[in-house]
Amino acid sequence: MTDQAARPAARPAREFVVEADGGSRGNPGPAGYGAVVRDAATGETLVEAAEYLGVVTNNVAEYRGLLAGLHAARGLDPDARVHVRMDSKLVVEQMSGRWKIKHPDMKPLATEAARVFPPGRVTYEWIPRADNKHADRLANEAMDAGARGERWSASGSTAELDAGGAGGRAAGAGGSSADADVRAAKAVASPGWGPPDLGAPATFVLLRHGETPLTPQKRFSGSGGSDPSLSSVGREQAEKVAASLARRGTIEAVVASPLARTRETAGIVAARLGLEVAVEEGLRETDFGAWEGLTFGEVRDRHPDDLDAWLASPDAEPTGGGESFAATGARIAATRDRLVAAYAGRTVLLVSHVTPIKTFVQLALGAPPESLFRMELSAASLSAVAYYADGGASVRLFNETSHLR
């Protein structure tokens, strides 16, 4: 037998899939990452990694998650080929060489990531947030542990179970508590049928704008009036909301009504959270027609028959061709469906007005239209509704104002 024939055949290179995520509750804020290494052939989870990072930005946390996943894969087999899947478009495009890396905090992290394996042995793929569930759960576990002053432990992790097993998917890191979302999803599912995990819901945190000069006088102020800005009190309220939401660290996007008072409130909050404000026309207040700027008593004196009809039927319009509650309800239902599809599995702040927010709650509860008259909604108050994959909804909060005290 020749020496060549005596040599064992070369072992084929192993292939791994690395899924990584990072989140920052505040951006910058308390942050953590999660990473999973799977066997590409079997889908078996080989390594889980997570760590609380202290206060850093979301992008830095994502890069740290990538590094952890790559180093874990190298520890298993330095000759392996690796396919990285992440929901960070920035990291994927930069590591693929299609986008330049300009931020000084990310350049050394990207350089280190490129050196873990030789060039050509790592490929990158962008996936939606909803397809990165396991790594997201790990990142949230790490952040939760950090908030308790503890280190994340693999032995205590339930991330793979919460993610629905190997290959499971869910929402991006930095959202609301993963465990709470799963428990709530199961709680609202049909009883007795043993439904599967519905995944993280789209959670709308509903913020009424801060006070305007018209608010203390309880004047009708809809989308057809003077479009007032916030008063000094209203701006202070918005700052308090911003501080409270920054401490909670769960908001991933901010969407506002196009009116001045909501855009101003949203801008104050978004600046504190490090987010941009998207404007959604469907979140505007009802048009109160000729009642704009009047108090309830003034409307009673001037238009008593129209007011009685309005109070008696959701189809009645305010004097002068304003918008009925039925029309507002149809608009909010369409807006809800559009936003649920756009923000599936994410926690989003919707900055809106009295009638739209009450309507979100009324629709979620399946309550009759007259329930709108039985809800009190304070300026700068928070409410919340979660929407699940099966079409169910759960009201989690209503008219919360403790942040204003």
Side-chain angles (χ1 to χ4, degrees):
M1 184 178 290
T2 66
D3 289 342
Q4 182 176 3
R7 293 193 194 103
R11 177 174 59 87
R14 297 184 69 183
E15 294 188 10
F16 299 131
V17 173
V18 168
E19 294 175 352
D21 204 356
S24 176
R25 294 173 176 174
N27 199 29
Y33 69 72
V36 185
V37 182
R38 305 188 196 281
D39 185 291
T42 67
E44 177 188 3
T45 297
L46 303 175
V47 178
E48 289 180 313
E51 184 182 0
Y52 176 66
L53 299 173
V55 177
V56 300
T57 66
N58 186 67
N59 292 145
V60 167
E62 289 169 336
Y63 262 108
R64 290 290 299 276
L66 169 63
L67 276 168
L70 291 174
H71 281 299
R74 181 177 175 82
L76 293 172
D77 188 343
D79 296 321
R81 293 186 176 277
V82 178
H83 183 61
V84 175
R85 294 159 47 88
M86 297 182 69
D87 61 57
S88 171
K89 187 75 169 176
L90 178 78
V91 174
V92 168
E93 293 298 316
Q94 288 181 342
M95 291 305 301
S96 298
R98 292 185 287 270
W99 290 2
K100 291 183 178 180
I101 304 171
K102 300 179 180 179
H103 199 285
D105 291 342
M106 287 182 277
K107 282 185 177 180
L109 297 173
T111 299
E112 182 182 351
R115 291 174 176 169
V116 178
F117 285 93
R121 294 250 295 277
V122 181
T123 56
Y124 289 87
E125 176 191 2
W126 177 84
I127 57 176
R129 287 177 179 266
D131 287 356
N132 205 20
K133 186 172 189 176
H134 193 166
D136 164 72
R137 297 292 194 245
L138 289 168
N140 276 291
E141 284 187 352
M143 286 184 277
D144 291 342
R148 297 191 300 268
E150 302 172 359
R151 292 177 61 88
W152 177 84
S153 170
S155 62
S157 174
T158 62
E160 185 168 12
L161 296 175
D162 291 341
R169 307 285 180 254
S176 57
S177 167
D179 292 341
D181 283 341
V182 173
R183 288 195 298 270
K186 291 178 179 177
V188 299
S190 302
W193 286 81
D197 176 15
L198 297 176
T203 301
F204 293 167
V205 178
L206 306 165
L207 170 61
R208 185 189 170 193
H209 60 80
E211 284 191 11
T212 75
L214 300 182
T215 307
Q217 302 172 34
K218 296 187 180 297
R219 295 185 179 275
F220 282 92
S221 182
S223 59
S226 60
D227 194 15
S229 298
L230 297 180
S231 64
S232 59
V233 172
R235 288 189 290 274
E236 182 181 356
Q237 290 171 333
E239 294 286 358
K240 289 181 177 180
V241 174
S244 176
L245 293 174
R247 286 192 298 271
R248 299 182 193 187
T250 57
I251 302 299
E252 298 177 85
V254 179
V255 182
S257 151
L259 300 184
R261 52 197 182 273
T262 42
R263 286 189 289 107
E264 188 175 358
T265 301
I268 291 171
V269 176
R272 182 66 176 267
L273 301 181
L275 299 171
E276 300 293 327
V277 178
V279 174
E280 168 55 58
E281 174 68 25
L283 295 176
R284 61 181 170 78
E285 179 60 286
T286 299
D287 183 344
F288 293 111
W291 302 352
E292 294 279 355
L294 302 180
T295 66
F296 189 89
E298 289 169 341
V299 173
R300 169 65 72 190
D301 291 340
R302 300 180 191 184
H303 309 285
D305 293 339
D306 290 347
L307 180 61
D308 286 343
W310 184 71
L311 294 172
S313 171
D315 295 313
E317 297 177 349
T319 305
E323 189 178 21
S324 70
F325 278 160
T328 300
R331 167 164 58 85
I332 295 302
T335 302
R336 173 203 61 198
D337 294 345
R338 186 164 58 250
L339 292 176
V340 166
Y343 294 100
R346 302 172 68 186
T347 299
V348 184
L349 182 70
L350 305 186
V351 187
S352 190
H353 310 263
V354 171
T355 311
I357 292 174
K358 287 183 178 181
T359 302
F360 272 106
V361 173
Q362 177 239 326
L363 293 172
L365 294 174
E370 55 265 28
S371 65
L372 297 176
F373 296 114
R374 301 191 177 108
M375 301 183 204
E376 178 69 24
L377 199 68
S378 304
S381 63
L382 291 168
S383 303
V385 181
Y387 300 90
Y388 298 92
D390 66 348
S394 174
V395 176
R396 295 185 170 183
L397 188 71
F398 182 73
N399 200 35
E400 167 62 41
T401 58
S402 61
H403 49 275
L404 301 178
R405 297 171 192 157

